[in-house]
């Protein structure tokens, strides 16, 4: 299939997702496929076997459009709903995928490790999400994480701790410590921004008027 407005110098990426996720990627009446294409200015070709080809076009929104589309497709393929996957349009969001097979020695071991990450009635996964703000999907033989950069790295470390055999209690304590660090860091950034704003306001008496003009 050849799309109009596909530039010769644009990127093309090909990847494969599980067949049972193809319908989710396409969406009702093609809604999800269309949303990805419109958000990023790319074109998707989706085959029934799960092969997805992403074409850059002259309408793509930025140089990373094809790469972002690939991550969105991967996220949907790894079990995320489209609403969460589409957050990857933003530069602030990233996707991490952990292969459970890297930690498992057998099929039984793989099932046990998946159970450790999910926890009883989903408690462990919810705890990781709640303390980091990232989204976690355990699907097939992978654990995928979507969120802002720092929370995703914390969630990834917590998942890998569980896969390496750390107790849930130890992992939860790690998450709580990291959450406090992030909260303190955010407070310091907020405090610093306020101090800069106050200094700038003293140096520029019309600062408030300038801000109002920018907002309007």
């Amino acid at each position: 299939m050849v799309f109009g407005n596909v530039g010769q110098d644009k990127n093309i990426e090909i990847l494969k997702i599980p067949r049972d996720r193809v319908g989710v990627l396409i969406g009702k009446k093609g809604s999800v496929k269309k949303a990805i294409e419109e958000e990023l200015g790319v074109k998707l070709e989706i085959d029934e076997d799960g092969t997805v080809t992403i074409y850059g076009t002259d309408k793509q929104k930025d140089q990373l459009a094809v790469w972002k589309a690939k991550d969105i497709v991967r996220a949907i393929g790894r079990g995320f709903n489209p609403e969460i996957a589409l957050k990857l349009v933003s530069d602030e969001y990233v996707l991490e995928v952990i292969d459970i097979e890297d930690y498992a020695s057998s099929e039984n071991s793989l099932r046990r490790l998946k159970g450790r990450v999910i926890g009883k009635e989903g408690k462990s996964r919810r705890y990781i999400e709640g303390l980091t703000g990232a989204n976690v999907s355990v699907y097939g033989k992978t654990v995928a994480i979507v969120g802002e950069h720092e929370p995703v790295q914390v969630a990834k470390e917590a998942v890998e701790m569980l896969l390496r055999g750390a107790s849930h209690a130890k992992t939860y304590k790690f998450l709580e410590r990291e959450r406090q660090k992030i909260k303190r860091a955010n407070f310091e950034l907020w405090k610093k921004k306020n101090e800069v704003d106050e200094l700038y306001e003293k140096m520029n008496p019309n600062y408030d008027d300038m801000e109002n003009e920018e907002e309007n």
Side-chain angles (χ1 to χ4, degrees), residues 184-215:
R184 283 196 297 271
N186 288 339
F187 175 74
E188 289 301 321
L189 284 174
W190 173 82
K191 184 179 176 183
K192 190 171 183 179
K193 181 182 181 300
N194 279 359
E195 289 173 352
V196 171
D197 285 347
E198 288 175 8
L199 178 60
Y200 192 83
E201 188 173 357
K202 289 177 183 178
M203 296 171 63
N204 298 273
N206 298 323
Y207 177 64
D208 287 336
D209 294 334
M210 290 165 61
E211 277 205 324
N212 289 334
E213 286 177 9
E214 288 179 1
E215 289 175 0

Side-chain angles (χ1 to χ4, degrees), residues 114-125 168 172:
K114 283 179 66 174
R116 296 201 82 224
V117 176
I118 295 169
K120 187 177 180 180
E121 298 179 351
K123 178 183 176 182
S124 180
R125 182 177 64 81
H168 284 87
Y172 297 161

Side-chain angles (χ1 to χ4, degrees), residues 34-208:
K34 184 179 178 181
I36 297 169
E37 291 176 333
E38 290 183 349
E39 284 285 346
L40 294 168
V42 300
K43 286 291 183 181
L44 301 184
E45 180 182 332
I46 306 168
D47 294 337
E48 290 182 2
D49 69 351
T51 300
V52 182
T53 306
I54 306 166
Y55 298 87
T57 78
D58 295 333
K59 294 181 180 179
Q60 66 185 58
K61 304 299 175 69
D62 61 49
Q63 293 181 338
L64 298 177
V66 172
W67 180 76
K68 288 180 178 180
K70 184 177 180 180
D71 267 359
I72 291 169
V73 171
R74 286 180 69 210
I76 291 173
R78 290 296 91 211
F80 284 111
N81 67 49
E83 184 180 355
I84 292 173
L86 280 163
K87 291 180 179 180
L88 292 161
V89 168
S90 168
D91 291 337
E92 302 301 316
Y93 280 75
V94 295
L95 167 70
E96 285 281 356
V97 179
I98 302 167
D99 191 341
I100 303 174
E101 285 189 306
D102 290 343
Y103 301 84
S105 56
S106 65
E107 284 296 320
N108 286 338
S109 174
L110 191 145
R111 286 194 292 271
R112 180 179 59 81
L113 290 175
K114 283 179 66 174
R116 296 201 82 224
V117 176
I118 295 169
K120 187 177 180 180
E121 298 179 351
K123 178 183 176 182
S124 180
R125 182 177 64 81
R126 287 198 306 271
Y127 209 86
I128 294 170
E129 290 182 325
L131 287 177
T132 63
N135 295 104
V136 178
S137 172
V138 183
Y139 179 88
K141 298 177 181 180
T142 64
V143 180
I145 308 166
V146 168
E148 296 182 0
H149 293 263
E150 190 170 0
V152 164
Q153 295 310 309
V154 173
K156 180 184 178 185
E157 178 59 28
V159 169
E160 290 179 338
M161 286 175 67
L162 291 172
L163 294 176
R164 290 193 297 263
S167 68
H168 284 87
K170 183 178 180 180
T171 303
Y172 297 161
K173 286 179 181 178
F174 162 77
L175 285 168
E176 288 163 0
R177 286 197 306 271
E178 292 301 314
R179 186 187 188 191
Q180 291 303 317
K181 287 181 186 178
I182 292 173
K183 287 174 70 175
R184 283 196 297 271
N186 288 339
F187 175 74
E188 289 301 321
L189 284 174
W190 173 82
K191 184 179 176 183
K192 190 171 183 179
K193 181 182 181 300
N194 279 359
E195 289 173 352
V196 171
D197 285 347
E198 288 175 8
L199 178 60
Y200 192 83
E201 188 173 357
K202 289 177 183 178
M203 296 171 63
N204 298 273
N206 298 323
Y207 177 64
D208 287 336

